[in-house]
Amino acid sequence: MDFRDTSAEAAFRDEIRAWLSENLVGEFAALGGRGGPADERGWDTRIEWERTLGRDRWVGMSWPEEYGGRNLNFSQQVIFNEEYAKANAPARISFFGEGLFAPTLIAYGTHEQKSRFLPKIQSVDELWCQGYSEPDAGSDLSNVATRAVRDGDEWVINGQKVWTTLAHRAQWCFVVARTEAGSTGHKGLSYLLVPMDQPGVEIRPLRQMTGSAEFNEVYFSDARTSADLVLGEVGDGWAVAMATLGFERGTAFMSQQLAFQRELREVIEVAQGNGRSKEATTRQDLADSYIGVQVMKYNGMRMLTDLVARGVIGPSSSIGKLFWSNWHRTLGERAMDVLGTDALLVASEGNGEYELEDFHQIFMSSRAETIYAGASEIQRNIIGERVLGLPREPR
Amino acid sequence: MNFAFSEEQDQLRDVVRRFVEEKSSEEEVRRLMDTEVGYDPNVWAQMANELGLQSLHIPEEFGGQGFSFVELAIVFEEQGRRLLCSPYFATVALATNAILNAGTTDEKAALLPGIASGETIATLAFTEPNGRWDADGITMVAREDGGGWVLDGTKMFVIDGNNADLIVVAARTAGTSGEAGISFFTVAGDAQGLTRTALATMDQTRKQSKLEFAGVKATPLGAAGQGWSALSKTLDQAAVCLSNEMAGGAQFVLDMSVEYAKVRVQFGRPIGSFQAIKHKCADMLLEVESAKSAAYYSAWAAGEDNEELPVVASLSKAYCSDAYFHATAENIQIHGGIGFTWEHPAHLYFKRAKSSEILLGDATYHRELLAQRIGI
Ligand SMILES: Cc1cc2nc3c(=O)[nH]c(=O)nc-3n(C[C@H](O)[C@H](O)[C@H](O)COP(=O)(O)OP(=O)(O)OC[C@H]3O[C@@H](n4cnc5c(N)ncnc54)[C@H](O)[C@@H]3O)c2cc1C
């Protein structure tokens, strides 16, 4: 047990600091670290920034070198993310491509597929979105009804996806579709890679409670993709889809707590500014949030040590997901308590504009975090059944 | 960065686990909690002679083995799993740390070898009838009398006070208040003028005493009037030890709940297949794992003796107190009627959790302390 950097880790940390201080300047630095993957504020500048990262292979840093990566291990990725957060660098946009799709592609893709897609993710020329959920397939993803049928050397896709974040920005979508007619449940599904810019794909924005429209309905009407753009075997899409979810619940959020620490600091500062920090209940709340974010950090370090030793995270990543999403939701509520009557007003309102302050953003967007990437109830089922070995509920 | 125990530490855990399982069966816990001393002197001697547990973190120059708080944490966690009835917490977490923090080299050389060898059972008497855990709670006045020191007043909730051969006492010089003027003294358990009364404890697995001092002659420990920083550090270190003990107990009741949820059948299926029960267990696991993370990290900080310790000690004490109590409460609910009986062990853990939560300051107290320590 030792929480200090090894000398190699310290040297790596210095390298990142140097890179950031050289590159994170001007309008990039001005963006600050706010926002998340589904937050479109400062979009164009953030794209430019992300391209700067990609140019120097900080996008895709964990990938094998033959695909342009740096082959960095988990500890190094965490060190990068720590320094990135400390430098208050902009929130990343390539979450779906770099964070979810790329690791799945590396695990399941052919050499051709990797060579085709990874460089464009790194150069931020192609963004991805996640085509899982449908009106009748949410928590029960195996109920997917979108169909894909072979027609010569193409797949023809029909059906509807919903809640598809950033579909309107993405060039590609990884789609879970039923490729075996008459199949049900986990069987007969495939993981298709579908270009978004084509006549058969229609995107309709859905406005969220935050006022903005970052997710969408996506309609496939005879949409087409090339026959070789199936990830994994045809009919084996369930396993591939689950691998993506594993990354989504595990490593993709490992550095989440760093951004959370900054948010908590801001809430504490506001409480100190308006005097609430002198009230006993507020002090209890703020201390409790502090404890939570630290515990999240310790849990993350234990998980990382385990990951480095064993190579896999497994279902215990559900513990992390459950923890951080609940913690963040509570922080949002406490931020409102700290604001008091200031919480009654948003940044701007009227003319169809409904623009939120940062604390409102936390308060509202955190309501989605206990729903997506597996709702909290589903996480508890996974922990109960796959970690503790409790009997399954009747299905 | 590496958040794992070493191979040697894992071996220590194995040895202690086997020992505690053998010596602290539920039956034995029940037998001991009904006795006045509340521990088995033979087991105490074996802990010292065969396993060297009392000497673990005492430096070698004072008869110890010079290990760190991480090893100590392992021992506390394992004891917590089985509610080992023993003056170990009082002797090692409280008295030994107080002596290490406050004593001069000569004082340590005089006091610690006896503890390390298992000959001396010791405790720390600092709480008073006011039930406070901070500096202001210490009102007992030490006065100089003919070149020596004399203590008058009452100490309460003194853990294993009746068992202790050596009592480390925190008192203050007349006319001082708060953190100024606090001094440590040592007093023999059988000192003249000292009346020891065993208290009727809600948690019967850990004995407490009331100690009444009437003109008791006391030996100074460390510099007079300079004791607060050593006491504060001792309380932080003890909170770290207790956090690990609580994490061990919490894991044990979680296992108990999960086991029962798999085998108890109602409505034609195991109750663990109902989400109401399954989700309780999932939440318990989250809290137990988190309690361990906090407890282990705090043990590391205590071992490093770094500036993080005060914050991390309060954090860990607050989190583990809540997690342990919650786990023991849910454990009763998951067991239904049987969990409410005297025969079932659930109440032993429930009571130990509550007493551990209150001991050294409850979660509310430590959250406030934490707020101060992080500058809120
Ligand atoms: C902001 C946001 C962004 C999203 N982005 C994407 C995206 O990019 N791509 C994508 O594919 N999807 C996306 N989603 C969809 C998300 O994955 C689903 O919302 C989620 O899987 C839940 O499905 P549902 O909304 O149909 O709710 P339901 O599954 O209908 O769940 C409703 C409630 O019932 C509970 N419930 C369901 N089944 C059980 C059970 N077995 N036991 C106990 N309780 C149960 C749930 O926990 C929940 O509380 C996004 C969602 C949000 C909110």
Side-chain angles (χ1 to χ4, degrees):
Chain A
M1 206 176 282
D2 193 346
F3 299 94
R4 287 169 292 224
D5 283 344
T6 62
S7 59
E9 286 168 342
F12 182 62
R13 200 180 284 283
D14 288 341
E15 184 189 339
I16 295 159
R17 281 193 190 149
W19 189 90
L20 284 168
S21 69
E22 195 173 312
N23 290 279
L24 184 59
V25 292
E27 55 175 355
F28 296 148
L31 279 170
R34 294 203 178 77
D39 179 342
E40 296 182 272
R41 287 179 291 176
W43 185 265
D44 293 339
T45 319
R46 279 165 67 197
I47 289 274
E48 273 317 302
W49 164 247
E50 200 108 338
R51 291 198 167 130
T52 310
L53 286 165
R55 183 198 66 205
D56 287 351
R57 294 182 302 142
W58 295 116
V59 177
M61 58 189 163
S62 67
W63 306 347
E65 286 176 14
E66 71 168 307
Y67 300 112
R70 290 169 175 261
N71 207 12
L72 298 187
N73 63 30
F74 291 113
S75 325
Q76 291 170 310
Q77 294 170 50
V78 167
I79 290 172
F80 178 88
N81 291 331
E82 281 172 4
E83 292 308 315
Y84 192 87
K86 271 188 219 148
N88 214 16
R92 301 289 293 272
I93 6 196
S94 58
F95 175 77
F96 290 96
E98 190 203 7
L100 304 190
F101 177 63
T104 318
L105 178 63
I106 287 168
Y108 284 91
T110 61
H111 174 67
E112 286 69 31
Q113 289 170 335
K114 292 180 208 178
S115 316
R116 161 67 186 83
F117 291 115
L118 289 173
K120 299 276 186 191
I121 291 175
Q122 190 170 51
S123 64
V124 199
D125 287 324
E126 290 178 352
L127 296 177
W128 286 78
C129 61
Q130 180 178 27
Y132 278 28
S133 305
E134 298 182 3
D136 288 326
S139 299
D140 185 7
L141 180 62
S142 72
N143 206 33
V144 156
T146 295
R147 286 164 292 116
V149 186
R150 270 296 284 274
D151 176 26
D153 54 5
E154 285 188 324
W155 291 99
V156 180
I157 306 148
N158 281 284
Q160 186 205 336
K161 296 290 172 182
V162 71
W163 323 127
T164 321
T165 304
L166 298 182
H168 57 294
R169 297 279 194 183
Q171 284 74 33
W172 287 87
C173 184
F174 48 96
V175 176
V176 179
R178 208 160 276 293
T179 45
E180 196 180 302
S183 66
T184 55
H186 306 171
K187 299 200 183 75
L189 298 171
S190 297
Y191 195 103
L192 303 181
L193 315 181
V194 181
M196 295 296 278
D197 186 13
Q198 59 168 309
V201 175
E202 190 198 341
I203 300 160
R204 295 186 198 157
L206 290 167
R207 197 170 182 210
Q208 302 169 177
M209 66 181 280
T210 51
S212 53
E214 279 123 12
F215 61 23
N216 307 271
E217 293 176 303
V218 177
Y219 290 85
F220 298 109
S221 318
D222 289 335
R224 292 184 170 256
T225 195
S226 164
D228 57 358
L229 292 185
V230 179
L231 199 56
E233 299 296 315
V234 173
D236 199 25
W238 182 256
V240 187
M242 288 301 108
T244 305
L245 276 187
F247 296 119
E248 186 169 10
R249 286 166 194 165
T251 38
F253 283 117
M254 207 114 104
S255 306
Q256 188 87 317
Q257 54 91 13
L258 297 160
F260 290 170
Q261 276 181 352
R262 189 187 55 242
E263 290 178 359
L264 173 59
R265 265 199 311 277
E266 286 168 5
V267 175
I268 290 173
E269 276 162 25
V270 169
Q272 287 172 324
N274 70 13
R276 284 259 140 95
S277 69
K278 295 195 184 71
E279 294 169 4
T281 50
T282 305
R283 298 175 68 75
Q284 287 288 314
D285 284 351
L286 295 175
D288 184 63
S289 286
Y290 181 86
I291 291 170
V293 78
Q294 291 299 115
V295 167
M296 215 184 298
K297 172 172 146 192
Y298 307 148
N299 281 344
M301 292 192 294
R302 264 176 86 208
M303 193 161 103
L304 179 67
T305 300
D306 211 41
L307 184 62
V308 169
R310 298 191 305 136
V312 285
I313 298 192
S316 58
S317 63
S318 288
I319 294 174
K321 167 68 176 43
L322 193 55
F323 196 119
W324 73 253
S325 57
N326 274 322
W327 181 89
H328 202 214
R329 201 162 75 167
T330 305
L331 181 72
E333 292 164 10
R334 286 175 176 163
M336 292 298 102
D337 292 345
V338 161
L339 283 181
T341 49
D342 284 350
L344 296 174
L345 306 178
V346 292
S348 76
E349 208 247 330
N351 306 329
E353 291 294 319
Y354 178 73
E355 206 183 304
L356 299 179
E357 305 277 5
D358 286 341
F359 286 7
H360 284 106
Q361 195 71 42
I362 302 172
F363 174 59
M364 293 182 203
S365 61
S366 62
R367 305 319 293 192
E369 294 165 355
T370 51
I371 297 172
Y372 64 59
S376 297
E377 291 74 15
I378 303 303
Q379 305 298 351
R380 290 192 179 92
N381 278 350
I382 294 172
I383 295 168
E385 293 171 15
R386 310 228 329 257
V387 183
L388 294 173
L390 289 167
R392 287 168 65 110
E393 58 187 306
R395 261 168 244 201
Chain B
M1 191 283 293
N2 167 22
F3 199 161
F5 292 101
S6 68
E7 226 169 275
E8 293 74 29
Q9 288 164 343
D10 285 339
Q11 282 162 7
L12 172 69
R13 184 185 296 284
D14 285 347
V15 170
V16 178
R17 180 166 298 184
R18 253 179 283 128
F19 180 82
V20 176
E21 271 172 12
E22 193 188 311
K23 306 296 176 189
S24 187
S25 63
E26 185 192 333
E27 200 185 354
E28 190 61 8
V29 169
R30 287 177 185 273
R31 185 183 74 78
L32 290 171
M33 74 187 204
D34 273 342
T35 63
E36 202 182 306
V37 293
Y39 78 102
D40 181 340
N42 288 325
V43 172
W44 179 256
Q46 286 169 336
M47 283 166 69
N49 301 334
E50 293 169 21
L51 278 67
L53 299 187
Q54 287 90 325
S55 64
L56 218 49
H57 84 306
I58 294 175
E60 285 171 35
E61 53 176 318
F62 305 122
Q65 305 180 65
F67 285 110
S68 84
F69 274 84
V70 177
E71 282 78 13
L72 211 52
I74 291 170
V75 176
F76 277 107
E77 184 182 351
E78 293 305 318
Q79 296 188 355
R81 285 173 64 88
R82 295 285 178 162
L83 303 176
L84 179 77
C85 299
S86 163
Y88 190 78
F89 182 81
T91 303
V92 175
L94 291 172
T96 302
N97 284 328
I99 295 165
L100 282 168
N101 294 331
T104 62
T105 305
D106 287 349
E107 288 161 351
K108 290 181 204 174
L111 299 171
L112 293 174
I115 291 179
S117 70
E119 253 160 73
T120 309
I121 290 176
T123 192
L124 173 64
F126 65 108
T127 1
E128 300 188 6
N130 61 43
R132 296 178 62 154
W133 306 98
D134 56 5
D136 286 329
I138 298 171
T139 65
M140 175 184 271
V141 170
R143 64 190 155 82
E144 275 193 280
D145 183 37
W149 289 85
V150 173
L151 300 176
D152 287 287
T154 305
K155 291 289 176 183
M156 272 295 280
F157 318 110
V158 180
I159 301 174
D160 286 301
N162 276 44
N163 294 325
D165 308 303
L166 172 71
I167 301 165
V168 179
V169 186
R172 64 170 65 250
T173 26
T176 64
S177 68
E179 296 173 4
I182 290 176
S183 309
F184 282 110
F185 299 90
T186 55
V187 166
D190 57 4
Q192 227 184 355
L194 173 63
T195 310
R196 305 197 278 185
T197 312
L199 298 170
T201 51
M202 176 271 292
D203 162 20
Q204 297 164 292
T205 64
R206 183 147 37 210
K207 301 298 176 188
Q208 299 169 25
S209 302
K210 173 160 90 173
L211 306 186
E212 288 162 296
F213 295 76
V216 176
K217 290 203 169 70
T219 313
L221 173 69
Q226 307 292 307
W228 174 249
S229 69
L231 178 56
S232 172
K233 184 168 171 183
T234 303
L235 297 180
D236 286 342
Q237 292 164 330
V240 167
C241 295
L242 193 51
S243 297
N244 279 277
E245 190 192 283
M246 292 191 283
Q251 175 73 62
F252 195 83
V253 294
L254 167 62
D255 293 346
M256 209 190 278
S257 287
V258 169
E259 201 42 53
Y260 191 71
K262 285 177 185 172
V263 298
R264 171 67 177 168
V265 173
Q266 285 294 279
F267 299 96
R269 50 188 179 117
I271 57 167
S273 69
F274 296 114
Q275 285 191 0
I277 300 294
K278 182 179 293 172
H279 289 189
K280 272 189 201 302
C281 292
D283 285 334
M284 283 161 82
L285 178 70
L286 178 147
E287 290 175 19
V288 168
E289 285 300 322
S290 301
K292 282 186 187 172
S293 297
Y296 297 166
Y297 188 86
S298 70
W300 181 78
E304 292 293 306
D305 197 8
N306 62 24
E307 72 286 357
E308 255 193 298
L309 175 62
V311 166
V312 171
S314 278
L315 179 163
S316 179
K317 178 64 171 65
Y319 192 90
C320 294
S321 296
D322 282 347
Y324 190 17
F325 182 73
H326 184 229
T328 61
E330 293 290 49
N331 187 42
I332 293 177
Q333 183 68 19
I334 288 169
H335 278 81
I338 191 97
F340 185 68
T341 62
W342 188 266
E343 279 65 37
H344 196 278
H347 74 101
L348 302 178
Y349 286 88
F350 179 76
K351 294 169 184 173
R352 174 68 87 93
K354 186 42 96 178
S355 78
S356 306
E357 179 195 330
I358 296 170
L359 211 70
L360 305 177
D362 65 12
T364 305
Y365 171 81
H366 277 283
R367 278 189 293 266
E368 172 55 35
L369 196 55
L370 177 74
Q372 293 168 21
R373 285 171 166 183
I374 60 174
I376 298 180

